[in-house]
Amino acid sequence: MKNIKNKLFSKELVKIGPDSGYDNYIMAIESSCDETACAIVKNGREVISNVVASQIKTHAQFGGVIPEIAAREHLDSINIVIEEAFKQAKESIGIEPKDITAFAGTVGPGLVGCLLVGLNAAKTLALTYDKPFIGVNHLNAHLCGNYLDTDLKPPFMALLVSGGHTQIIDVKSYSEQNILGETIDDAVGEAYDKVARLIGLPYPGGPKLDKLAQEGNPYAFKLPEAKVDGYNFSFSGLKTAVLRLVKSFPEQEMPVKDICASFQECVSSTLVHKLKKAIENSGYKQVVIAGGVAANSEIRKKIFALENEGYRVFAPPMKYCTDNAAMVASCAYFNTNTFDDINTEVFSRVK
Ligand code: KG4
Ligand code: ZN
């Protein structure tokens, strides 16, 4: 896709974004890891179509995502999810490809081979239908999942928790964000998946560990909360503590549910403790949770308890917590200051 001549779209010409005064329909594609997804969203909030093809079953047999296989599966699914998203939009409100305001795609962070499939599809659609292209950061997109079907407006404090990231983010405006703290080692989702593997749960371990934790005693074992400066986190020591605990029991007698519940208690209280400090210091009255781990029952429970202290709490419904393209479309609408170069490249790690 290199060196294709850019057509210059300007925001004045293509009226887009919350201040444009025009209805926008953005089609977005997401393929950063193991979900191939396509969605059409009206004005950043109203989901017209939302299609996700998950590869979980394929990767489960290997105990984790195999990048090469994931990229090939994206290739198999990409045209199907795009067609289905167009079909749903046509059937529900009569929207055709020519009515799409702009085409967006996730540029990173993620698995490069996977990102290339979705991004090139988004670019091809933009070129084919002669519309602007918008490249979207996957982490920003997770935050924007909270704009879907809600009236949330910045400023707010956000906790972003996924398989690759753990961050407290001060969202000052639609396009201005400041990362206040992050993990210095494992991300929360990564810690969940690693601990799940330690106790013999199949991939993806996070949701399974969560389920078992709900049946255990969260105070059965006191696990160490890492002492890290400011709003930063560390979860690798906790993982080692769980390993030690697991080894202290004969396999048949391992109190799996209590270990899960104690781990979940330690993680959720660490996260919410620091998040609460950040909100109090900011003076904001709104708090948001995002990312795949935002599906976690105990983290949700503890964050929603902040409603009793007068805060508005937002957490996406499950379908917008894990990877999807509706959040990417919303992000393209709210975060876009300019359109992107059609030669924009993918990136694997946070820049
Ligand atoms: O955001 P996401 O879908 O993909 C990344 O961008 O990383 O997050 C996936 C992560 C995985 O580590 C998965 O185990 C974790 O989110 N996860 C959970 C739960 N549901 C998903 N972790 C804990 N409890 C859950 N209920
Ligand atoms: Zn994600």
Side-chain angles (χ1 to χ4, degrees), residues 64-205:
V65 178
I66 309 290
E68 173 73 19
I69 294 174
R72 284 164 189 264
E73 289 232 353
H74 283 305
L75 273 177
D76 288 343
S77 305
I78 192 79
N79 288 341
I80 299 168
V81 297
I82 293 169
E83 256 177 45
E84 183 59 26
F86 273 135
K87 183 165 162 260
Q88 287 181 11
K90 169 99 177 144
E91 283 171 5
S92 62
I93 56 165
I95 286 288
E96 309 245 9
K98 67 173 173 44
D99 303 317
I100 301 294
T101 315
F103 290 91
T106 305
V107 289
L111 301 168
V112 166
C114 296
L115 287 161
L116 282 171
V117 177
L119 196 69
N120 277 338
K123 288 174 175 179
T124 305
L125 285 163
L127 289 169
T128 305
Y129 293 109
D130 198 21
K131 303 284 172 152
F133 158 76
I134 303 168
V136 171
N137 179 300
H138 183 79
L139 302 179
N140 289 348
H142 268 301
L143 286 184
C144 293
N146 281 284
Y147 296 133
L148 299 170
D149 303 334
T150 72
D151 63 355
L152 172 68
K153 290 188 177 75
F156 54 83
M157 194 58 69
L159 176 68
L160 176 67
V161 274
S162 74
H165 302 89
T166 304
Q167 298 177 333
I168 292 181
I169 307 168
D170 177 356
V171 180
K172 296 171 187 290
S173 70
Y174 285 121
S175 55
E176 197 188 352
Q177 309 174 350
N178 187 16
I179 298 169
L180 301 183
E182 56 196 326
T183 180
I184 58 168
D185 41 53
D186 291 351
V188 186
E190 196 181 352
Y192 261 89
D193 294 338
K194 284 180 178 171
V195 166
R197 210 172 305 142
L198 277 180
I199 53 180
L201 301 177
Y203 170 88

Side-chain angles (χ1 to χ4, degrees), residues 116-323:
L116 282 171
V117 177
L119 196 69
N120 277 338
K123 288 174 175 179
T124 305
L125 285 163
L127 289 169
T128 305
Y129 293 109
D130 198 21
K131 303 284 172 152
F133 158 76
I134 303 168
V136 171
N137 179 300
H138 183 79
L139 302 179
N140 289 348
H142 268 301
L143 286 184
C144 293
N146 281 284
Y147 296 133
L148 299 170
D149 303 334
T150 72
D151 63 355
L152 172 68
K153 290 188 177 75
F156 54 83
M157 194 58 69
L159 176 68
L160 176 67
V161 274
S162 74
H165 302 89
T166 304
Q167 298 177 333
I168 292 181
I169 307 168
D170 177 356
V171 180
K172 296 171 187 290
S173 70
Y174 285 121
S175 55
E176 197 188 352
Q177 309 174 350
N178 187 16
I179 298 169
L180 301 183
E182 56 196 326
T183 180
I184 58 168
D185 41 53
D186 291 351
V188 186
E190 196 181 352
Y192 261 89
D193 294 338
K194 284 180 178 171
V195 166
R197 210 172 305 142
L198 277 180
I199 53 180
L201 301 177
Y203 170 88
K208 295 190 175 70
L209 199 162
D210 181 12
K211 218 157 172 228
L212 288 172
Q214 291 172 52
E215 297 166 27
N217 172 10
Y219 307 106
F221 305 103
K222 178 93 189 97
L223 290 163
E225 201 174 300
K227 301 268 175 287
V228 191
D229 284 352
Y231 297 119
N232 290 329
F233 300 99
S234 163
F235 294 105
S236 71
L238 176 60
K239 181 190 60 197
T240 313
V242 174
L243 177 63
R244 222 173 289 129
L245 187 61
V246 166
K247 283 191 169 159
S248 70
F249 295 100
E251 205 174 318
Q252 314 302 341
E253 291 164 33
M254 188 167 47
V256 174
K257 290 176 182 171
D258 286 349
I259 293 176
C260 291
S262 302
F263 168 77
Q264 180 137 300
E265 175 60 27
C266 183
V267 171
S268 57
S269 52
T270 307
L271 289 171
V272 178
H273 176 71
K274 290 214 171 177
L275 177 64
K276 207 176 150 195
K277 250 204 252 167
I279 310 164
E280 285 168 357
N281 283 343
S282 70
Y284 296 162
K285 285 282 162 250
Q286 303 185 113
V287 53
V288 157
I289 174 167
V293 188
N296 183 267
S297 64
E298 189 57 32
I299 297 173
R300 285 177 98 91
K301 196 168 114 195
K302 284 193 169 65
I303 289 184
F304 273 103
L306 295 171
E307 285 182 333
N308 302 330
E309 298 179 34
Y311 295 103
R312 282 186 91 199
V313 178
F314 292 83
M318 299 301 174
K319 63 182 171 186
Y320 303 143
C321 275
T322 43
D323 290 347

Side-chain angles (χ1 to χ4, degrees), residues 18-33:
D19 303 323
S20 70
Y22 284 79
D23 278 344
N24 292 163
Y25 297 91
I26 296 183
M27 173 177 261
I29 295 175
E30 154 65 35
S31 66
S32 63
C33 190

